[in-house]
Amino acid sequence: MEAYIYDAVRSPRGRGKPDGALHDITPIALVTQVLTAIRDRNGIDTADVDDLILGCVAPVGEQGTDIARLAVLTAGFAETVAGVQINRFCASGLEAVNMAIAKVMTGEAEMVVAGGIESMSRVPMGADGGAWASDPSVAYATYFAPQGIGADVIATKFGFSREDVDAYAVESQRRAKVAWDEGRFAKSILPIRDIIGQVVLTHDEHMRPETTMQSLGALKPSFTAMGEEMPGFDTIALLRYPELERVNHVHHAGNSSGIVDGSAAVLVGSKAMGEKYGLKPRARMKAMGSIGSEPLIMLTGPESIANKVLKKAGMTKADIDLWELNEAFASVVLRYMQALNLDHSQINVNGGAIAMGHPLGATGAMVLGTAIDELERSGKGTALVNLCVGAGMGTGIIIERI
Amino acid sequence: MAHTISTVIDSDGIALLTIDVPDQSMNVIGPYFIADLGAAITQLKTDDTIKGAVICSGKDSGFMAGMDLKQMSAMLFPAGNTAPDMAKIFDRVFVLNDLFRQLETCGKPVAVALEGTAMGGGLELALACHHRVLSSNPKVQIGLPEVMVGLFPGGGGSQRLPRLIGVQTALLYMLQGKSFRPPEALALKVVDELAEPGKTVEAAKAWVKANPDSSIQPWDIKGFKVPGGSGQFNPAFIQTMMAATVMTTKETQRNLHAPHALLSAVYEGIQLPMDRAIRIESKYFAKVVADPQAANMVRTLFVSKQAAERGARRPTGVDKAPTKKLAVLGAGMMGAGIANVAAQAGIEVMLLDRDMPAAERGKAHAEEQMKKRIGKGMTPEQMAQILARITPVAAATALQGCDFVIEAVFEDPAVKAEITKRVEAVLGADIIFGSNTSTLPISGLAHNWSKPENFIGIHFFSPVEKMALVEVIMGQQTGPAALAKALDFVAQIRKTPIVVNDSRGFYTSRCFATYVQEGTQMLAEGINPALIENVGKQLGMPVGPLAVSDEVSIELGYKVMQAAKVALGDAYVSSKADDVAAKMVALGRLGRKNGKGYYEYPADGGKKALWPGLATEYPLSAIQPSAQEVRERLLYRQIVECARCFTEGVLVTPQDGDIGAIFGWGFAPYTGGPFSAIDTIGAEEVVETLDRLAAEHGDRFAPPQQLREMASKGLHYYPAVSAKAA
């Protein structure tokens, strides 16, 4: 059975700090608004929705107890809609959509809402603990080092200087500003409201369009201390990559993804459902999948999954009109471009998470929506949407505009 | 039946258990002690007249030093070559853990009086008591040093110490094998109170009398929380464990297993009640014990080292000959260092150089070194007393009355010959003469002494104050009196001796050089120098081969090579490594001493970095070897040279070879040394690997015939050890 992507909606991204515009919106309230929107924009009877799949990377505290099922109830969806929370780290939002597509294709479901929620200002990254870093046997087996160290290893190993990564970041900011100014995201943004219905946020407030090479150059690298001194993760990196003399620490807050609050949802359904509600399908999946990669360098999965999905789809790079890779860190995208021989003009054309932020569990659904919007705006046909993932993974999808 | 514990019950019903293990200078845990402690615990449990107990030591040497070697060997050397039976090993190692648990749950308050040092199992026994009184004597120390010999605290220490003092602090001390001094021990709550020396038993009894119901440990009380927190939902604990793994890996380079097992024992055990926690500890301990690494490390770093220090190679039938007055010839860095350590050992030293200013500089060096230790166990008065023992002199006649000579002059045969003869003229040839030469064959230098049987090599390592090893070299004619004198001197200055036979480079210089040469060879082949250096460290060497070459100076290596060329003539085999050294010297890159070698050394003291010029002189080969290949070459080049030294009779025992390697040039300590490594890998596999490396890289890897024979007959360097033999 064919599955179609009918709609994508997202909240603007609030700064992931106590002064962020969405800091006093509970995660449940945030995702409820997004779900309500996707229902109302498409005029669907939620009794026809089989399942809600939400990515959430810190599913504890306020984001615990299967926030998807709870959101079904708080959004007033039919009781018969099931709900499940998933975690594939930074790719969770896209993984949720991929799962939705698979459910529809197999006939398990007719209509699925998939997306993500992450309120990083309220439930911080790492709040869920986990054995990865703290269980000595797991940290040992996986050569654990935090993602910032992995990003710096990528820069060192593949030859990206501080200037290279800063230049990438400046461009991301510039493109994001142009995209917002031109209303390129207008179709998908849902202004978020407070308890009494007042709008609290309409745009991605993490953006810093005034960013320059000079302003970035003044920032100290974020991971030097934890790499070289306490506790000294560079030792672990060199055990894995002994061909490097040392790790060149180049990443900082200005060239890494922003910590933000946000939520997104995508409507996936069968042909029949689209016809029932008079919905025009916007895109279809050509190939999708996930893959594992080396966990210490962590963020090099995208080049592998790109090759895997291209092969699955019987396509080559030349068949892809538009590329999107989540900007976890500048070096991640630079390496991807290097590995696939892409030009910057082909990828992340409307900026990315460095400028706008990366609400972990939701980003995957957001970048997918961004790619669909851009395909429609530009008239291009195909896009490959990709995200690097913690502990060494990559999740990707090739979509075709309909 | 040895009686290790005597029990006396006083009128208050307090049982005083005095530990005094017969035939041992220090109390150690052995099978008799375990049996006696078990019986004592049963008595505590069942005898209603006993209200509580105090445990103390009957020896002045301290409370308890840990496990008896025999007991340890029984754990570490399972009989036969069969795969370890983990269940059996667990049962064996759990015995002590179980016993201590029974002690702390016996139902009566037990206090321990630590009048003296308590280490390892001794401290673990104390931790299982309900109240600890420690002497305030600043010389006393308590600690869990098991990590230093490839084990970890397996008698409940990894579970009790964190529950007393918090996870972070406990890990810090256990991972470093660090000791607590009385003030620290009290401040950190390892012990409950300090008492004046001689009064610990009194204080312990007073506590028992005043606390008749305090027989339950804090961790057995409901609601107990580990100080500082623990568990996955505690951010501080998560941080501590995350950091601990990384910092431990920095030390172990993923070669040493015990520290990682300790981390897991703490992480997993801390989340469980004590009964289950100690079983977790014993299971991880069983894994460590089953791993040959522990046996190798205990043997070399503990058993063999101790045996060497206690005169394993000392000839029988020669009376003790401690040095009263030492003559040191040459007040350079080595001579000054030797004078320093001798003076600190209470020996009078005549420090000779060509003129008084030179001799006085040597004494000044000793003073500088000692000044650093003021306030850290050295008082100004002590320093003055020690310095007074060193007399700088400029004339050989001033050496009258010296009963041992150590020559540490310039490494040149003519210079050495001259001073040797001049000293003989003053002291006579009956005095024992030792040379600190690092490469000149002793038999040749001995020609300068009329009685060559009294001439010996005594090779120190730099810096003399820090390096434990002394390589004693027997010239062809060196006799037992000289050997005894040299070994007695090494014992006086509390260093670790090995005894080898004469040859160019002896044992340590010759074998250590191969590490540098192989690294340099790889550089010449276009192998990435960062890879060479990192793999050297990751193999377990203190630094990479290029870095160490810079440290000892490329120029020195070059000069040694030149001297060898001259001495061996046509027999000398040139190598790419020689060319590299020559080129570096020609480029004026002499090493750290002039700020540039394979590395650049910033004048402001910043971090060194590989010289970018290496990429031009030795362009990177398009195909790079794997880290595994580089590691193999660096490791096997050294061990084949060590094996050759044994074949040629330079080394007489594998113990000398293993101790010499680890303490002489920092050879991967986790292996227990090159001979332990060959035994563990197996001669067959070693020969196979060497043949493969020889085919690929050259004859320098070719295994000696003896190693082939060992391979074909399944022989080992060390005799097969069984629990009985130990």
PDB file of all heavy atoms in Angstrom, chain B residues 671-685:
ATOM      1  N   THR B 671      52.090  -6.319  31.369  1.00  0.00           N
ATOM      2  CA  THR B 671      52.476  -7.636  30.853  1.00  0.00           C
ATOM      3  C   THR B 671      53.223  -8.445  31.909  1.00  0.00           C
ATOM      4  O   THR B 671      53.375  -9.648  31.771  1.00  0.00           O
ATOM      5  CB  THR B 671      53.406  -7.510  29.640  1.00  0.00           C
ATOM      6  OG1 THR B 671      54.595  -6.809  30.061  1.00  0.00           O
ATOM      7  CG2 THR B 671      52.745  -6.747  28.509  1.00  0.00           C
ATOM      8  N   GLY B 672      53.726  -7.740  32.934  1.00  0.00           N
ATOM      9  CA  GLY B 672      54.605  -8.413  33.878  1.00  0.00           C
ATOM     10  C   GLY B 672      56.028  -8.495  33.343  1.00  0.00           C
ATOM     11  O   GLY B 672      56.900  -9.065  33.979  1.00  0.00           O
ATOM     12  N   GLY B 673      56.258  -7.927  32.163  1.00  0.00           N
ATOM     13  CA  GLY B 673      57.601  -7.936  31.583  1.00  0.00           C
ATOM     14  C   GLY B 673      57.660  -8.775  30.318  1.00  0.00           C
ATOM     15  O   GLY B 673      56.753  -9.571  30.047  1.00  0.00           O
ATOM     16  N   PRO B 674      58.740  -8.645  29.543  1.00  0.00           N
ATOM     17  CA  PRO B 674      58.809  -9.341  28.247  1.00  0.00           C
ATOM     18  C   PRO B 674      58.779 -10.860  28.364  1.00  0.00           C
ATOM     19  O   PRO B 674      58.193 -11.533  27.507  1.00  0.00           O
ATOM     20  CB  PRO B 674      60.150  -8.863  27.657  1.00  0.00           C
ATOM     21  CG  PRO B 674      60.886  -8.214  28.770  1.00  0.00           C
ATOM     22  CD  PRO B 674      59.895  -7.768  29.776  1.00  0.00           C
ATOM     23  N   PHE B 675      59.366 -11.413  29.407  1.00  0.00           N
ATOM     24  CA  PHE B 675      59.396 -12.878  29.531  1.00  0.00           C
ATOM     25  C   PHE B 675      58.057 -13.419  29.991  1.00  0.00           C
ATOM     26  O   PHE B 675      57.606 -14.470  29.538  1.00  0.00           O
ATOM     27  CB  PHE B 675      60.552 -13.309  30.440  1.00  0.00           C
ATOM     28  CG  PHE B 675      61.880 -12.941  29.850  1.00  0.00           C
ATOM     29  CD1 PHE B 675      62.483 -11.721  30.157  1.00  0.00           C
ATOM     30  CD2 PHE B 675      62.491 -13.771  28.919  1.00  0.00           C
ATOM     31  CE1 PHE B 675      63.682 -11.352  29.562  1.00  0.00           C
ATOM     32  CE2 PHE B 675      63.693 -13.408  28.323  1.00  0.00           C
ATOM     33  CZ  PHE B 675      64.290 -12.190  28.637  1.00  0.00           C
ATOM     34  N   SER B 676      57.408 -12.692  30.865  1.00  0.00           N
ATOM     35  CA  SER B 676      56.040 -13.044  31.235  1.00  0.00           C
ATOM     36  C   SER B 676      55.144 -12.942  30.009  1.00  0.00           C
ATOM     37  O   SER B 676      54.260 -13.777  29.805  1.00  0.00           O
ATOM     38  CB  SER B 676      55.511 -12.115  32.325  1.00  0.00           C
ATOM     39  OG  SER B 676      56.255 -12.263  33.515  1.00  0.00           O
ATOM     40  N   ALA B 677      55.385 -11.926  29.185  1.00  0.00           N
ATOM     41  CA  ALA B 677      54.567 -11.749  27.981  1.00  0.00           C
ATOM     42  C   ALA B 677      54.735 -12.939  27.041  1.00  0.00           C
ATOM     43  O   ALA B 677      53.761 -13.472  26.521  1.00  0.00           O
ATOM     44  CB  ALA B 677      54.949 -10.457  27.269  1.00  0.00           C
ATOM     45  N   ILE B 678      55.987 -13.346  26.834  1.00  0.00           N
ATOM     46  CA  ILE B 678      56.220 -14.475  25.931  1.00  0.00           C
ATOM     47  C   ILE B 678      55.555 -15.735  26.487  1.00  0.00           C
ATOM     48  O   ILE B 678      54.907 -16.488  25.760  1.00  0.00           O
ATOM     49  CB  ILE B 678      57.729 -14.716  25.720  1.00  0.00           C
ATOM     50  CG1 ILE B 678      58.352 -13.519  24.994  1.00  0.00           C
ATOM     51  CG2 ILE B 678      57.965 -16.004  24.915  1.00  0.00           C
ATOM     52  CD1 ILE B 678      59.865 -13.577  24.882  1.00  0.00           C
ATOM     53  N   ASP B 679      55.690 -15.960  27.786  1.00  0.00           N
ATOM     54  CA  ASP B 679      55.053 -17.127  28.409  1.00  0.00           C
ATOM     55  C   ASP B 679      53.546 -17.087  28.242  1.00  0.00           C
ATOM     56  O   ASP B 679      52.903 -18.103  27.980  1.00  0.00           O
ATOM     57  CB  ASP B 679      55.392 -17.192  29.898  1.00  0.00           C
ATOM     58  CG  ASP B 679      56.703 -17.917  30.177  1.00  0.00           C
ATOM     59  OD1 ASP B 679      57.367 -18.347  29.203  1.00  0.00           O
ATOM     60  OD2 ASP B 679      57.059 -18.052  31.364  1.00  0.00           O
ATOM     61  N   THR B 680      52.956 -15.892  28.411  1.00  0.00           N
ATOM     62  CA  THR B 680      51.497 -15.773  28.362  1.00  0.00           C
ATOM     63  C   THR B 680      50.976 -15.931  26.932  1.00  0.00           C
ATOM     64  O   THR B 680      49.998 -16.622  26.692  1.00  0.00           O
ATOM     65  CB  THR B 680      51.046 -14.424  28.941  1.00  0.00           C
ATOM     66  OG1 THR B 680      51.528 -14.315  30.284  1.00  0.00           O
ATOM     67  CG2 THR B 680      49.535 -14.287  28.933  1.00  0.00           C
ATOM     68  N   ILE B 681      51.644 -15.259  25.997  1.00  0.00           N
ATOM     69  CA  ILE B 681      51.220 -15.413  24.595  1.00  0.00           C
ATOM     70  C   ILE B 681      51.489 -16.846  24.145  1.00  0.00           C
ATOM     71  O   ILE B 681      50.741 -17.426  23.377  1.00  0.00           O
ATOM     72  CB  ILE B 681      51.987 -14.421  23.686  1.00  0.00           C
ATOM     73  CG1 ILE B 681      51.704 -12.972  24.106  1.00  0.00           C
ATOM     74  CG2 ILE B 681      51.605 -14.619  22.220  1.00  0.00           C
ATOM     75  CD1 ILE B 681      52.621 -11.952  23.462  1.00  0.00           C
ATOM     76  N   GLY B 682      52.595 -17.394  24.622  1.00  0.00           N
ATOM     77  CA  GLY B 682      52.987 -18.748  24.225  1.00  0.00           C
ATOM     78  C   GLY B 682      54.112 -18.664  23.216  1.00  0.00           C
ATOM     79  O   GLY B 682      54.004 -17.933  22.228  1.00  0.00           O
ATOM     80  N   ALA B 683      55.182 -19.398  23.457  1.00  0.00           N
ATOM     81  CA  ALA B 683      56.352 -19.314  22.578  1.00  0.00           C
ATOM     82  C   ALA B 683      55.980 -19.622  21.124  1.00  0.00           C
ATOM     83  O   ALA B 683      56.525 -19.012  20.199  1.00  0.00           O
ATOM     84  CB  ALA B 683      57.441 -20.265  23.071  1.00  0.00           C
ATOM     85  N   GLU B 684      55.053 -20.536  20.937  1.00  0.00           N
ATOM     86  CA  GLU B 684      54.680 -20.924  19.569  1.00  0.00           C
ATOM     87  C   GLU B 684      54.132 -19.731  18.792  1.00  0.00           C
ATOM     88  O   GLU B 684      54.562 -19.441  17.670  1.00  0.00           O
ATOM     89  CB  GLU B 684      53.644 -22.042  19.622  1.00  0.00           C
ATOM     90  CG  GLU B 684      53.600 -22.853  18.342  1.00  0.00           C
ATOM     91  CD  GLU B 684      52.551 -23.968  18.422  1.00  0.00           C
ATOM     92  OE1 GLU B 684      52.418 -24.575  19.505  1.00  0.00           O
ATOM     93  OE2 GLU B 684      51.877 -24.198  17.409  1.00  0.00           O
ATOM     94  N   GLU B 685      53.185 -19.042  19.437  1.00  0.00           N
ATOM     95  CA  GLU B 685      52.588 -17.898  18.748  1.00  0.00           C
ATOM     96  C   GLU B 685      53.605 -16.778  18.589  1.00  0.00           C
ATOM     97  O   GLU B 685      53.637 -16.091  17.563  1.00  0.00           O
ATOM     98  CB  GLU B 685      51.365 -17.398  19.533  1.00  0.00           C
ATOM     99  CG  GLU B 685      50.587 -16.356  18.729  1.00  0.00           C
ATOM    100  CD  GLU B 685      49.345 -15.853  19.459  1.00  0.00           C
ATOM    101  OE1 GLU B 685      48.690 -16.678  20.128  1.00  0.00           O
ATOM    102  OE2 GLU B 685      49.061 -14.640  19.356  1.00  0.00           O
TER     103      GLU B 685
END
